[in-house]
Amino acid sequence: MTRRTLLPDRIFDSIDGGMIEGHALVIDGDRVVAMVPAEQTKEPTRLPGTLLPGLIDVHTHLTGPVDNGQGYAALVQRNGAQDALIGAYHASVTVQAGFTTVRDIGAFRAFTDVALRDAIDSGWVVGPRMMVAGAYVTCPGGGGDITGLAVDVDQIVPRELRFGVTSGVDQMRENVRQILRYGADFIKVLATGAVLTSGTNPGAPEFTEDELRAAVEIAAESETFVAAHAHGTEGIKRAVRAGVRSIEHGSMLDTEAIELMAESGTFLVADLYDSDYIGEVGPSLGYSEEVMAKAEMTTDAQRKGFRAAVEAGVRIAFGTDSGVYPHGQNARQFRLYVEHGLTEAQAIQSATHWAARLMGWEDRVGSLQPGAFADLVLVAGNPIKDIGSLEHVSAVMKGGQWLSAPGVSESGRP
């Protein structure tokens, strides 16, 4: 790869949240070198539309098939190779949609996400940069366990499907160490029940504060963090007090929980699009009555809490829970973030600079600062004026290579 200069109609500044016109982006190899006034360039590649940093989704589930609302007992009908290969397809669809980085936040079959991450990094598979959780940390019978099995089958489930099942502080410390040892980048705990896991209550806490704090402490020893799935109010508060980096879902926030998150700097990752998708297609796909009832219970509360959190200054990062809905539709959530409290510019920041800060990767992704990876998305028009334009990307670059670029050759010349 050689040095190239790209001149779009405008460039989104993900740090300040504004548009920059009359400037070109200079790329050398896989990195951004500079942003310079257009008049200082010679024969730049002209790109119609808006150039943005590659988008980031901090709550994805790439490995395994898309959820069908029937619980997780069917996991025993597949093997790890199948889940990883399905993940390779999902990774390709995701990056082609403009999401060049993801935080993959749990695989039921342990470490299939680690294998997918490594395959992408090795160049064997096309996909986004991945930060992975390795396995769910969940209580026995909890939101990340395999529920709904007959009692005589329940005892013979393979270990990789229950690698992170945990009870008590000592086992929490042991399991977190093991998950990190086997290649996870961070830890995902399920602090409450789940909407999609049969037999669990999203509003009920499933770990004590001491158990959650033990996970945070062990993760910190490895210089990483804990993300906490938490729908219910008490579970959210326990997780925040324990020191988790992010609350995933956050469906039942109250004033105290929001204040705790704002004070501690805990990120909120709210999957607002899931509810629309489940409500629209759940009945036709055969979602169970239990799942539909729990989704309905959490939808309005989650959106109300999201708006209140935004108003209170809670840090927001864009996460969709892809895998509940078909992969590649991640950008459909932007309009919901705008409808429920963020400006268009802030919604884009939540999927660029703010998301990178959550991951601790702000030195490499989420902006077009010199030294960052040349991960780029081109869209027609101006997404600050039409947030829906992000659902239809014109071109995608990852690490200085065009992955999807109608009208642009590999050399970067039209």
Side-chain angles (χ1 to χ4, degrees):
M1 291 182 287
T2 59
R3 179 175 286 231
R4 286 170 288 172
T5 302
L6 307 178
L7 180 58
D9 295 333
R10 66 195 67 83
I11 298 173
F12 180 70
D13 183 341
S14 63
I15 296 176
D16 291 337
M19 288 293 180
I20 300 173
E21 297 185 356
H23 281 66
L25 194 70
V26 182
I27 295 169
D28 192 359
D30 66 350
R31 302 281 177 162
V32 174
V33 174
M35 190 183 302
V36 298
E39 58 267 20
Q40 296 181 12
T41 66
K42 292 183 178 180
E43 298 185 354
T45 300
R46 294 186 178 273
L47 301 174
T50 302
L51 198 63
L52 307 96
L55 301 173
I56 303 171
D57 188 335
V58 298
H59 192 127
T60 67
H61 300 280
L62 296 185
T63 61
V66 174
D67 191 271
N68 63 6
Q70 301 300 309
Y72 302 122
L75 283 165
V76 298
Q77 298 173 347
R78 301 192 309 274
N79 59 40
Q82 289 171 304
D83 275 8
L85 288 169
I86 292 169
Y89 169 71
H90 292 158
S92 175
V93 171
T94 298
V95 76
Q96 295 288 346
F99 288 82
T100 55
T101 299
V102 302
R103 187 181 62 154
D104 207 62
I105 199 158
F108 269 110
R109 194 171 290 274
F111 311 115
T112 51
D113 55 351
V114 172
L116 179 60
R117 176 201 64 196
D118 293 349
I120 292 170
D121 289 347
S122 297
W124 304 337
V125 172
V126 175
R129 305 180 194 282
M130 293 181 68
M131 173 181 279
V132 302
Y136 295 121
V137 178
T138 184
C139 72
D145 197 2
I146 311 302
T147 62
L149 298 172
V151 65
D152 55 340
V153 176
D154 196 61
Q155 300 302 311
I156 57 172
V157 173
R159 186 182 182 218
E160 63 179 351
L161 291 175
R162 283 184 164 155
F163 196 94
V165 173
T166 299
S167 184
V169 169
D170 290 341
Q171 190 177 28
M172 178 67 79
R173 293 179 182 276
E174 178 182 352
N175 283 350
V176 168
R177 288 191 178 102
Q178 286 281 73
I179 290 168
L180 293 172
R181 185 168 72 86
Y182 281 111
D185 297 304
F186 69 102
I187 294 297
K188 161 74 174 292
V189 299
L190 283 91
T192 72
V195 170
L196 298 178
T197 307
S198 60
T200 69
N201 177 0
E206 293 192 342
F207 279 123
T208 67
E209 191 171 325
D210 285 343
E211 289 171 321
L212 295 169
R213 185 171 291 108
V216 171
E217 290 172 353
I218 298 303
E221 290 178 0
S222 295
E223 299 183 343
T224 190
F225 58 81
V226 173
H229 159 115
H231 288 284
T233 309
E234 178 58 27
I236 292 169
K237 294 175 185 177
R238 290 182 187 182
V240 175
R241 289 194 296 260
V244 303
R245 179 74 168 163
S246 63
I247 294 294
E248 312 296 314
H249 311 297
S251 299
M252 302 174 192
L253 291 167
D254 66 5
T255 300
E256 181 185 6
I258 290 170
E259 290 176 351
L260 284 171
M261 293 181 70
E263 291 170 3
S264 64
T266 311
F267 281 85
L268 174 62
V269 180
D271 52 331
L272 302 187
Y273 175 60
D274 274 354
S275 298
D276 279 10
Y277 176 79
I278 292 172
E280 180 181 347
V281 307
S284 64
L285 291 178
Y287 271 47
S288 68
E289 291 183 4
E290 177 195 356
V291 168
M292 294 302 297
K294 289 191 289 188
E296 184 177 353
M297 175 186 71
T298 55
T299 296
D300 289 342
Q302 184 188 41
R303 296 177 180 195
K304 180 180 178 181
F306 180 83
R307 181 179 293 277
V310 169
E311 293 173 351
V314 172
R315 299 200 288 183
I316 305 295
F318 187 94
T320 66
D321 209 1
S322 70
V324 173
Y325 64 87
H327 297 274
Q329 298 179 6
N330 314 57
R332 294 186 180 186
Q333 182 165 271
F334 282 111
R335 62 178 176 80
L336 292 167
Y337 271 27
V338 172
E339 288 176 14
H340 297 282
L342 294 180
T343 66
E344 286 82 355
Q346 289 172 333
I348 302 170
Q349 286 179 294
S350 78
T352 51
H353 181 56
W354 297 355
R357 289 175 62 192
L358 164 57
M359 298 173 71
W361 282 11
E362 61 266 42
D363 61 332
R364 65 194 85 169
V365 297
S367 77
L368 300 179
Q369 295 295 299
F373 283 116
D375 295 351
L376 312 173
V377 175
L378 181 71
V379 299
N382 186 341
I384 287 182
K385 296 180 179 179
D386 176 17
I387 196 68
S389 64
L390 293 173
E391 297 178 29
H392 309 285
V393 301
S394 303
V396 179
M397 175 183 284
K398 181 189 170 193
Q401 293 185 321
W402 291 113
L403 303 180
S404 172
V408 179
S409 68
E410 185 60 33
S411 67
R413 298 299 297 265

